[in-house]
Amino acid sequence: MSKKERYIPNALKFAFGGSAGMLATVVVQPLDLIKNRMQLSKGGRSAFAVAGEIVAREGFMALYTGLSAGLLRQATYTTTRLGVYNYLFDSYKETHGGVAPGFGTKTLLGVAAGSVGSFIGTPAEVALIRMTSDGRLPKEQRRNYKNVADALMRIVKEEGVLKLWRGATPTVARAMVVNAAQLGTYSQAREMFQVYIADGVFLHFCASMVSGLITTIASMPVDIIKTKIQSAAKGQNQIEVVTSLIRNEGVLALWKGFLPYYARLGPHTVLTFIFLEQLNSAYLKYTE
């Protein structure tokens, strides 16, 4: 991160983070919907089979079902996590004579930023999961939310306000792992690649690809455990869910569905950081 970036106003750091995430979501929303349908469906169907079924049964635009919830999730979750991370990163440099934090500190900053952002973004996440999974249910069981605002209002009216934070604990735990890996490795990879690659979109792309891959490897076990816990029989605790999964399917089951998971997370990581870097660069260029 260059010295000039320190002077981007804190409010803009939050706004740029959310805007970057929202722009990336517009591109990868179909992948998010396909991933959610695959996680909720039985069997080992491929992403292409699931996508084909959605288009055949619901139409092409159904791939963008839940886009409003996805955008709100980025406006809340990504705005907060990237804004908090950049704020903490710059604060560290200011109190340490301009020296950037080491990898361990970057990881801790990512954990802090992810936990705060995830808690704030959980209501939009609940709406997103429900909206993207609605099409797989029989017509009489569908919620048919009109948009994210309708979803949130109906959840509060029909189930109570606390249901907006359903699954918040495992969601926050997953976000802590994702952000520790994603934000820390992106900063580290960017610094390493800068020795060989000039600052620009290609540098941001390379750093993002490394960050997305490591984030996928690190977060998949937590994501699968989170899904198993949320769908487990009443009374099962986290240890029982994990031991049962490993005993019945083996350790590698913790990374089951690696490719479809990365197909969504990888491009979103790449696009988010590229958009964020371009927004930062544009601000610095036109406010000199």
Side-chain angles (χ1 to χ4, degrees):
M1 188 176 288
S2 68
K3 190 173 182 179
K4 281 188 175 182
E5 285 182 300
R6 177 183 302 178
Y7 299 104
I8 295 176
N10 288 330
L12 278 181
K13 290 176 185 175
F14 281 76
F16 286 170
S19 298
M22 292 172 76
L23 288 169
T25 291
V26 171
V27 178
V28 305
Q29 177 65 20
L31 295 173
D32 205 19
L33 181 139
I34 292 168
K35 176 187 73 71
N36 289 339
R37 292 284 181 94
M38 290 180 72
Q39 288 181 336
L40 293 169
S41 299
K42 296 180 180 180
R45 293 182 302 163
S46 69
F48 293 106
V50 173
E53 182 180 296
I54 293 171
V55 172
R57 291 178 54 189
E58 304 169 49
F60 179 80
M61 292 308 298
L63 293 173
Y64 280 90
T65 299
L67 179 60
S68 61
L71 292 175
L72 179 62
R73 181 178 182 273
Q74 296 303 318
T76 52
Y77 168 62
T78 301
T79 295
T80 304
R81 73 183 181 106
L82 291 181
V84 169
Y85 180 79
N86 287 328
Y87 174 77
L88 294 175
F89 188 101
D90 290 349
S91 296
Y92 181 95
K93 288 179 67 175
E94 289 177 5
T95 57
H96 290 78
V99 178
F103 182 72
T105 304
K106 290 173 187 171
T107 300
L108 293 177
L109 298 183
V111 169
S115 60
V116 175
S118 180
F119 184 79
I120 293 174
T122 295
E125 176 109 19
V126 172
L128 175 63
I129 295 299
R130 291 189 175 192
M131 293 176 74
T132 54
S133 63
D134 213 30
R136 61 182 289 272
L137 298 173
K139 289 186 177 181
E140 63 276 8
Q141 295 180 20
R142 295 178 188 175
R143 297 182 175 92
N144 295 317
Y145 296 137
K146 298 176 183 177
N147 50 52
V148 66
D150 180 51
L152 296 177
M153 288 188 292
R154 282 182 53 189
I155 290 171
V156 171
K157 181 179 179 180
E158 298 169 8
E159 304 172 50
V161 67
L162 292 181
K163 288 298 182 181
L164 292 175
W165 278 270
R166 185 174 187 176
T169 299
T171 300
V172 169
R174 175 190 174 276
M176 291 171 70
V177 175
V178 167
N179 285 275
Q182 188 181 67
L183 299 178
T185 56
Y186 177 79
S187 298
Q188 194 70 22
R190 190 178 186 277
E191 291 175 11
M192 293 173 63
F193 284 132
Q194 265 185 322
V195 178
Y196 309 100
I197 304 173
D199 193 6
V201 173
F202 186 60
L203 170 65
H204 309 153
F205 173 79
C206 292
S208 298
M209 287 298 291
V210 172
S211 176
L213 178 61
I214 294 175
T215 301
T216 300
I217 294 171
S219 65
M220 272 211 74
V222 184
D223 189 65
I224 289 176
I225 292 169
K226 164 185 167 293
T227 301
K228 291 285 187 181
I229 290 171
Q230 290 177 330
S231 62
K234 187 175 181 180
Q236 274 193 301
N237 59 41
Q238 297 184 28
I239 296 176
E240 288 174 338
V241 170
V242 175
T243 54
S244 175
L245 176 65
I246 294 175
R247 183 174 61 251
N248 296 330
E249 303 182 47
V251 174
L252 292 181
L254 294 172
W255 286 272
K256 185 169 60 177
F258 182 90
L259 290 179
Y261 186 91
Y262 180 71
R264 187 269 173 194
L265 181 62
H268 194 275
T269 300
V270 170
L271 292 169
T272 296
F273 281 120
I274 287 178
F275 286 138
L276 180 60
E277 295 279 10
Q278 294 307 302
L279 289 170
N280 286 337
S281 297
Y283 174 83
L284 293 172
K285 178 180 179 181
Y286 294 108
T287 57
E288 286 180 344

